[in-house]
Amino acid sequence: MRLLDGVVVKKEILADIKQECKSLLKQYGVAPGLAVILVGDNPASQAYVGMKQKACESIGMLSFEHRLAASIAEEELVACIKQLNQDDRVHGILLQLPLPDHLNSDKMLQLIDPKKDVDGFHPENVGRLLVGLPTFKSCTPYGVLKLMEYYHIDPTGKHVVIIGRSNIVGKPLAAMLMQKGDNANATVTVCHSRSQNLAGIASQADILIAAIGKPYFVTPNMVKEGAIVIDVGINRIDDPGSDKGYKLVGDVDYDAILSKVNAITPVPGGVGPLTIAMLMSNTLQSFKNVMKA
Ligand code: NAD
């Protein structure tokens, strides 16, 4: 059994980006800049924003943080996004989700300049992804691809079953894996909450990817002997014995399926670390697009 360690891959990607940022700074006298907008005080979102800021600092990127009150009016958020669209120091804009209920995230995401949409959520970029044009690939699915590439897992001709059809993970991941080209060319099946015979379909997968948000959902009957299992899920469950009172687990019942799999990602430490690495990679790409580097 191979453990697909995402931390190792993240470190390697960030080290390469750091090197590139250094030489681009020498060449152009400016560094890539990422702006993050956080509305409200959701603890998980605050933690993610802090991690993104730390990652920027560690590789020599500029980080611009915009923390806005949960009660902010729509016009104020719109103004903040428009201002960042105009700011030449900012090459990537990330709007941390979820937004408070009174704000429409689809509407807000569509205001971000597609050229700075390093999360790859703007419909223009999603469309470009689907037809195979260069674009910003959304970070978590892109991270899954990078993880597979690093561990020489070639999806060509393989049956990949993705459980979950969200706009953030399942749908873009399916689009990426079904494309023509390297690290793609897979036969992709997407299952979701209305799928019938989910266990039967999942158990046919050469590569099974879970992105559901339900702890321990994937059980041994859903996994083919020798399958590769990639667990995108990050779920908090109570753990009274730990300092924090909770622990993070994936969508896969890791211990129960371990003896059946050829390779598997741990949670935490699998796909998660790659998401931030790919955000940095997209921001660097945006900078290079502007500089025509
Ligand atoms: P989501 O809630 O937007 O979507 C969940 C999907 O799972 C839906 O498409 C739904 O149809 C499907 N689903 C739900 N219950 C199901 C069931 N019983 N059977 C089959 N399908 C079912 O979630 P999301 O944003 O895609 O996130 C999914 C998981 O991935 C979460 O645990 C989230 O925390 C994690 N996540 C991790 C990263 C990362 O960096 N590793 C990034 C994004 C999301």
Side-chain angles (χ1 to χ4, degrees):
M1 193 282 297
R2 283 185 300 161
L3 190 70
L4 309 174
D5 182 345
V7 178
V8 175
V9 191
K10 171 193 169 181
K11 279 187 184 155
E12 207 163 279
I13 292 171
L14 289 184
D16 288 347
I17 297 176
K18 184 176 180 175
Q19 199 57 39
E20 219 177 329
C21 282
K22 207 171 150 188
S23 58
L24 288 167
L25 181 64
K26 228 184 218 168
Q27 197 176 345
Y28 298 102
V30 270
L34 173 69
V36 179
I37 307 171
L38 174 63
V39 185
D41 48 13
N42 177 316
S45 294
Q46 280 181 327
Y48 289 138
V49 168
M51 282 156 70
K52 285 162 189 168
Q53 192 182 18
K54 250 176 75 183
C56 279
E57 283 164 8
S58 76
I59 57 171
M61 276 190 193
L62 299 174
S63 156
F64 305 96
E65 232 185 82
H66 294 260
R67 289 180 184 256
L68 307 173
S71 58
I72 193 171
E74 186 186 282
E75 305 85 75
E76 286 177 82
L77 179 55
V78 170
C80 178
I81 295 171
K82 286 188 172 167
Q83 181 249 315
L84 293 171
N85 282 341
Q86 298 302 322
D87 189 336
D88 289 341
R89 298 167 307 163
V90 172
H91 305 93
I93 302 172
L94 182 144
L95 178 60
Q96 185 67 47
L97 301 178
L99 291 176
D101 289 344
H102 69 286
L103 297 167
N104 179 331
S105 29
D106 285 337
K107 189 174 164 189
M108 295 301 118
L109 289 173
Q110 287 177 33
L111 293 173
I112 296 175
D113 180 346
K115 293 188 185 68
K116 297 188 178 189
D117 169 41
V118 287
D119 246 343
F121 293 159
H122 192 287
E124 185 179 314
N125 286 328
V126 177
R128 291 178 69 87
L129 174 74
L130 201 61
V131 295
L133 287 172
T135 186
F136 295 117
K137 297 187 180 87
S138 42
C139 303
T140 301
Y142 194 12
V144 171
L145 259 58
K146 281 285 165 191
L147 190 78
M148 287 170 48
E149 187 186 335
Y150 184 89
Y151 288 101
H152 306 292
I153 297 168
D154 183 1
T156 301
K158 298 277 165 34
H159 186 197
V160 179
V161 174
I162 301 170
I163 315 179
R165 60 174 165 186
S166 73
N167 290 341
I168 294 174
V169 188
K171 279 188 209 163
L173 186 53
M176 289 176 203
L177 284 165
M178 73 167 82
Q179 291 298 327
K180 269 188 187 166
D182 295 339
N183 291 312
N185 284 329
T187 304
V188 182
T189 303
V190 180
C191 295
H192 47 78
S193 52
R194 304 291 178 93
S195 294
Q196 288 179 7
N197 187 24
L198 191 145
I201 297 167
S203 63
Q204 293 168 30
D206 302 310
I207 302 172
L208 179 62
I209 305 177
I212 323 160
K214 295 216 161 26
Y216 307 126
F217 182 87
V218 174
T219 44
N221 61 322
M222 300 181 192
V223 179
K224 182 164 87 173
E225 198 75 44
I228 290 163
V229 177
I230 297 179
D231 190 353
V232 181
I234 302 177
N235 308 291
R236 269 188 193 199
I237 60 164
D238 289 343
D239 183 15
S242 76
D243 289 347
K244 292 178 184 163
Y246 69 87
K247 65 175 176 179
L248 298 179
V249 300
D251 289 341
V252 165
D253 192 346
Y254 184 90
D255 292 333
I257 69 165
L258 207 52
S259 63
K260 285 189 91 171
V261 302
N262 170 282
I264 188 166
T265 55
V267 176
V271 175
L274 269 303
T275 298
I276 287 187
M278 301 331 293
L279 176 67
M280 300 298 134
S281 171
N282 282 347
T283 306
L284 175 64
Q285 186 56 54
S286 175
F287 177 84
K288 284 160 63 174
N289 293 348
V290 172
M291 298 298 173
K292 309 217 178 325

